[in-house]
Amino acid sequence: REIPGMFEGSIVKLLIKLALPIAAGMFFQMIYNVVDAVFISLIDKSDPSYFGATGIVFPIVFLAIAVSNGLSVGTSSMVARAIGENNHDVLEKTAESGMIISAILSLVFLVGTYVFDDNLINLLGATGDYAVHGKEYLQYIVPGVVVMFIGNILFGVLQGEGLMKYMMWGMIIGTVGNIILDPIFIFLLDMKVRGAALATVIAQVGSVLFVVTLF
């Protein structure tokens, strides 16, 4: 598929049409990060280890984010060029290859994290309560890596097709879902940092399921 006017009309108008939805999606993503940090900081105002622990293990999460975003950009580029060339074979192979690569990398992250979680926590310099809460958060957030990899491949396809508004709605669904679920899992169910991680994973699942329906 392609958006109307992709190959005709003003380039400036097309760029604005493509940029505004993703800018709105990124704005909601920023709000998610701020709200998530606020909820975690409210778990116990006298104990900084809850908030600090999530920051300590974030490099592991960020590594997964960086790799999945790289796959998304690569997928988007391949899809956009295939559409420009009207090459449907490349389109199908791109999505298929992206899913296979995502599955392999997700498995590596899952197995590596659960097998070496204690070593990773120690390597990052966490001790005491920081290590305890860091491990709890890491164990609950890692399943979201699978969802993130798959979701970013699908987002990459949409981006390559110029369907930015669907990316925007996917990001908004994930953000709003996380904001709603955070207080439920963190405070109501008393899961603390585990609840923050679980809320993020469930919200990501909702976002990806929305995108899956488009396919």
Side-chain angles (χ1 to χ4, degrees):
R1 292 184 296 172
E2 63 190 52
I3 61 173
M6 178 178 285
F7 297 107
E8 58 189 29
S10 170
I11 295 296
V12 174
K13 290 182 179 179
L14 178 62
L15 289 174
I16 293 174
K17 188 174 184 178
L18 293 174
L20 286 179
I22 196 64
M26 293 302 295
F27 174 73
F28 274 88
Q29 186 70 22
M30 180 184 67
I31 293 176
Y32 150 70
N33 290 329
V34 172
V35 173
D36 208 42
V38 170
F39 279 129
I40 293 174
S41 68
L42 293 175
I43 293 175
D44 187 345
K45 296 180 180 179
S46 64
D47 186 355
S49 65
Y50 289 102
F51 187 80
T54 59
I56 289 175
V57 302
F58 185 73
I60 300 173
V61 179
F62 186 78
L63 176 61
I65 293 173
V67 174
S68 66
N69 283 343
L71 285 175
S72 179
V73 171
T75 301
S76 173
S77 176
M78 291 290 292
V79 168
R81 283 183 287 175
I83 289 176
E85 298 169 355
N86 197 27
N87 191 331
H88 296 285
D89 290 336
V90 172
L91 278 173
E92 294 176 1
K93 291 178 180 178
T94 298
E96 180 182 342
S97 299
M99 287 299 179
I100 293 173
I101 295 172
S102 293
I104 294 172
L105 290 176
S106 297
L107 183 62
V108 171
F109 270 99
L110 280 172
V111 174
T113 302
Y114 284 126
V115 172
F116 301 105
D117 52 359
D118 288 323
N119 302 87
L120 291 171
I121 295 296
N122 292 332
L123 183 64
L124 293 170
T127 58
D129 287 340
Y130 287 88
V132 173
H133 301 319
K135 183 177 179 179
E136 289 176 339
Y137 184 81
L138 186 62
Q139 289 179 332
Y140 276 78
I141 198 68
V142 165
V145 170
V146 179
V147 182
M148 181 172 58
F149 271 106
I150 295 174
N152 275 353
I153 292 297
L154 299 178
F155 278 131
V157 173
L158 293 178
Q159 187 172 6
E161 293 180 342
L163 302 174
M164 309 304 290
K165 67 177 181 180
Y166 296 114
M167 283 189 63
M168 175 190 71
W169 283 113
M171 297 172 75
I172 290 176
I173 288 172
T175 299
V176 174
N178 186 76
I179 292 174
I180 294 173
L181 294 174
D182 258 348
I184 296 175
F185 285 98
I186 295 174
F187 303 112
L188 186 61
L189 299 180
D190 197 31
M191 294 182 68
K192 300 178 180 176
V193 291
R194 293 172 298 161
L198 188 57
T200 297
V201 173
I202 294 175
Q204 287 179 340
V205 170
S207 176
V208 171
L209 287 177
F210 164 74
V211 177
V212 168
T213 62
L214 302 175
F215 288 84

